[in-house]
Amino acid sequence: FYETCGLWRKAKYLKIHFAESWNELHHLLIMEELGGSQKFMDRFIAQHIAVGYYWFVVGLYIVNPVHAYNFNEHVEQHAFDTYDIFLKEQGEELKKLPAPQAAIDYYIDGDLYMFDEFQTSRGCSEPRRPKIENLYDVFVAIRDDEAEHVKTMIELQTDTELRTNHDQTCTVD
């Protein structure tokens, strides 16, 4: 909205938001492969909640972008906490189950440019490469992605310049 009106010119923010959306899409694909899309009513409710959530955040962003980022920070923190509890409670069982192909395609075999792009807290450090050997590893990777989203949302509440591994400001020795 603000970019369209010419009030802000933060193309990097758009790129980071796209990278985060790309990451969340792959979380959805993983969950669908695990059976999360089998029941019509589950899909129907989830899709309608997602549309409502989207428009709520758009409205909040128009009124005050900092509040929108703060709200999303809390949503991402809740996601992290939920995955963390799930891993602690179900970890041993998850280690016995194979990783879904969608997770292997995304975290191991896929183009990791967008994966690196949403991890703004890492700056110029070594890129994060999750190991994916079983379902436990998949949920650890998703949980850690949520932690990265939290850090990004915190940074977006300030007027700092975000850096990723692909920025030209990084130097390689």
Side-chain angles (χ1 to χ4, degrees), residues 54-84:
Y54 172 81
W55 285 111
F56 172 76
V57 173
V58 166
L60 188 57
Y61 186 83
I62 290 169
V63 172
N64 188 325
V66 172
H67 290 321
Y69 289 131
N70 184 264
F71 179 76
N72 279 314
E73 173 195 344
H74 292 289
V75 169
E76 299 293 354
Q77 183 64 53
H78 178 72
F80 173 86
D81 293 339
T82 302
Y83 283 118
D84 197 49

Side-chain angles (χ1 to χ4, degrees), residues 18-35:
F18 180 75
E20 288 195 332
S21 296
W22 187 253
N23 177 257
E24 295 294 352
L25 166 68
H26 285 84
H27 293 176
L28 178 63
L29 294 174
I30 291 165
M31 297 307 167
E32 286 180 347
E33 188 175 331
L34 293 171

Side-chain angles (χ1 to χ4, degrees), residues 147-166:
E148 291 294 330
H149 294 313
V150 169
K151 294 172 191 171
T152 299
M153 291 301 118
I154 290 169
E155 288 296 317
L156 287 168
Q157 293 174 59
T158 67
D159 199 26
T160 61
E161 284 299 316
L162 300 175
R163 294 187 328 164
T164 69
N165 280 329
H166 300 140

Side-chain angles (χ1 to χ4, degrees), residues 8-157:
W8 291 349
R9 292 287 185 245
K10 297 194 178 197
K12 189 180 288 187
Y13 280 27
L14 296 174
K15 188 176 180 184
I16 288 167
H17 291 318
F18 180 75
E20 288 195 332
S21 296
W22 187 253
N23 177 257
E24 295 294 352
L25 166 68
H26 285 84
H27 293 176
L28 178 63
L29 294 174
I30 291 165
M31 297 307 167
E32 286 180 347
E33 188 175 331
L34 293 171
S37 66
Q38 291 179 345
K39 295 181 181 176
F40 170 79
M41 192 51 88
D42 290 346
R43 289 191 322 271
F44 180 84
I45 291 170
Q47 289 170 348
H48 286 80
I49 288 172
V51 169
Y53 172 81
Y54 172 81
W55 285 111
F56 172 76
V57 173
V58 166
L60 188 57
Y61 186 83
I62 290 169
V63 172
N64 188 325
V66 172
H67 290 321
Y69 289 131
N70 184 264
F71 179 76
N72 279 314
E73 173 195 344
H74 292 289
V75 169
E76 299 293 354
Q77 183 64 53
H78 178 72
F80 173 86
D81 293 339
T82 302
Y83 283 118
D84 197 49
I85 291 167
F86 178 69
L87 285 164
K88 289 173 182 164
E89 292 176 353
Q90 303 296 324
E92 292 308 312
E93 283 301 311
L94 294 171
K95 289 176 183 177
K96 299 174 189 173
L97 299 171
Q101 189 60 46
I104 295 166
D105 291 346
Y106 179 61
Y107 288 110
I108 304 298
D109 296 338
D111 179 356
L112 296 174
Y113 180 86
M114 293 306 285
F115 178 75
D116 293 338
E117 198 62 28
F118 79 86
Q119 299 182 60
T120 57
S121 70
R122 300 187 70 79
C124 296
S125 66
E126 197 65 32
R128 186 177 69 119
R129 295 292 180 258
K131 75 172 180 132
I132 303 294
E133 296 175 358
N134 52 45
L135 194 53
Y136 178 83
D137 294 341
V138 172
F139 279 102
V140 167
I142 292 172
R143 180 204 59 195
D144 294 349
D145 290 351
E146 302 303 339
E148 291 294 330
H149 294 313
V150 169
K151 294 172 191 171
T152 299
M153 291 301 118
I154 290 169
E155 288 296 317
L156 287 168
Q157 293 174 59

